[in-house]
Amino acid sequence: MEVHKDEIYLHDEKHTRKKYSIGQKIEIEIEKIVFGGEGLGRVDGFSVFVPMSVPGDILEIEIISLKKSYGRGLITKIIRPSKDRIEDLNKITFEDFDGCDFGMLKYEKQLEYKNEILKEVLEKIGGINIENVQIEDILECDIKTNYRNKTAEPIYKKDGKIMTGFYSKNSHNIFSAKKNLLRSEVASKIIMEFLKIVNRYEGTNNEFKVYNEKTRTGFLKHFIVRNNEKNEVMIIVVVNKKSQYKSLIKVLERLYEENDEIKSVYISIKQEKDNVILGKEINHIFGSEYIEEEMEGIKFKIYPNSFFQVNKKQALKLYGKGIEYLGKSNDKTIVDAFSGTGTIAMILSKKVKKVIGIESVENSVNAGNLTVKENELKNVELINGKVEKVLPEILKKENVGGIIFDPPRKGIDEKTLRSVVKNRIDKVIYISCNPSTFARDCKVLTENGYRLEKVGAVDMFPQTAHIEIVAILKNVINKEI
């Protein structure tokens, strides 16, 4: 029998035929939240993933996609809310929650579900018996909203007005948040002031054109705000070309003069076809070339393309937990792999004999070395190169007492893990923004003479499903594998 591509036929235990199709509405009860943040429910044994849903919810959903073994659906009605859901039942979509995929959960429940997700990922992907691992409760964030010190928002036009917003999930459609829960309050103020000024040009010969992704025409692309703990602000306007460059400088001059918080102003021209927001050409327009932030007594200069954690207070908790796991190391050389601008290496330098950072992005290493020099950190060395190539060379020359890994989402490549195993590094501290690749890499190490002793998590991004992990693995055998 021919089956339509948008339909799937399933047999339940009694071999009765059940038909599901795109656009069909069904009632479902949500059982759990899975890694990635979506709720999971089952109808006659058929699994359906539902964004913005909460365990215990009974919902009416509309099926939007179907695969052989599962489907996805969007909430159309909350029939009976879970006790873990916030009180406002008028909000049901990603856009309703202003782009926060855990915004539907009470905060204490966000933490609880993140703990559960972490344990499940460790068991299913890492094959780890969590009964043998000390898993600490996630460290909550004192500031639950408006904690980001950096926001980069696409510029678009709606009903003739220039606005900034967010991309809908898995889409290039832009929406504006009614109440922004993530960006800092000073960023909200500066964005509103910018929009007020540029929209005064509406209907004039100098009206600003907004970039169109499909036609690759228009001018304004993104508005970026960075701020430090003192609420000193850097702004970067990303544009497509120089057609309205002089007019934009007039807007930015007024914005700079009327807002004391703004200390630094840039324009970036972005014509490259990639998913990076900033262009290669970044022009300093007004004020200082950087803003400054301090962590553990170390001063960091932040430029438009500098990496700096978007939630400083939680980052300090994360790094502090990693250093705590490392233990007393004042007579040891420690490697900070995937070191970025060297933040962890510099904070760690006060507690170890020597720290060597490895980072593949040359600009980050250059910025880090400048910070090292300015802060007179004599026992920090930052090396530019790929971890899988540089680490084995360091391990041949140095007596390394431990390694801190803080890799990107893709995790650590197997060659690097094998190098750790071969050299029987005593302690491995693993900081991760992706529980899935963390569990995968732990599996390699635990199968080769390492024991996962302790895992902690830090709620770096409240109102979202993201989980930041820190763990320690210890070598439990002395001979080379």
Side-chain angles (χ1 to χ4, degrees), residues 150-163:
K150 179 183 178 182
T151 185
E153 299 184 11
I155 298 171
Y156 73 116
K157 194 172 273 192
K158 183 179 179 181
D159 300 327
K161 296 290 183 185
I162 293 173
M163 306 175 77

Side-chain angles (χ1 to χ4, degrees), residues 360-374:
S360 63
V361 179
E362 187 176 4
N363 287 345
S364 295
V365 176
N366 292 340
N369 279 323
L370 185 62
T371 306
V372 167
K373 185 177 180 181
E374 289 172 345

Side-chain angles (χ1 to χ4, degrees), residues 186-210:
V186 70
S188 290
K189 179 196 174 211
I190 298 304
I191 289 171
M192 290 304 105
E193 292 297 320
F194 170 74
L195 295 176
K196 196 185 297 180
I197 298 171
V198 294
N199 278 308
R200 286 176 185 155
Y201 288 80
E202 183 188 352
T204 71
N205 291 334
N206 295 319
E207 180 175 342
F208 284 96
K209 294 177 174 62
V210 170

Side-chain angles (χ1 to χ4, degrees), residues 302-323:
I302 300 172
Y303 294 87
N305 52 5
S306 298
F307 172 79
F308 198 80
Q309 289 283 4
V310 299
N311 189 340
K312 174 188 160 183
K313 289 184 177 178
Q314 290 302 93
L316 283 170
K317 289 182 187 179
L318 182 72
Y319 299 157
K321 183 62 70 173
I323 293 169

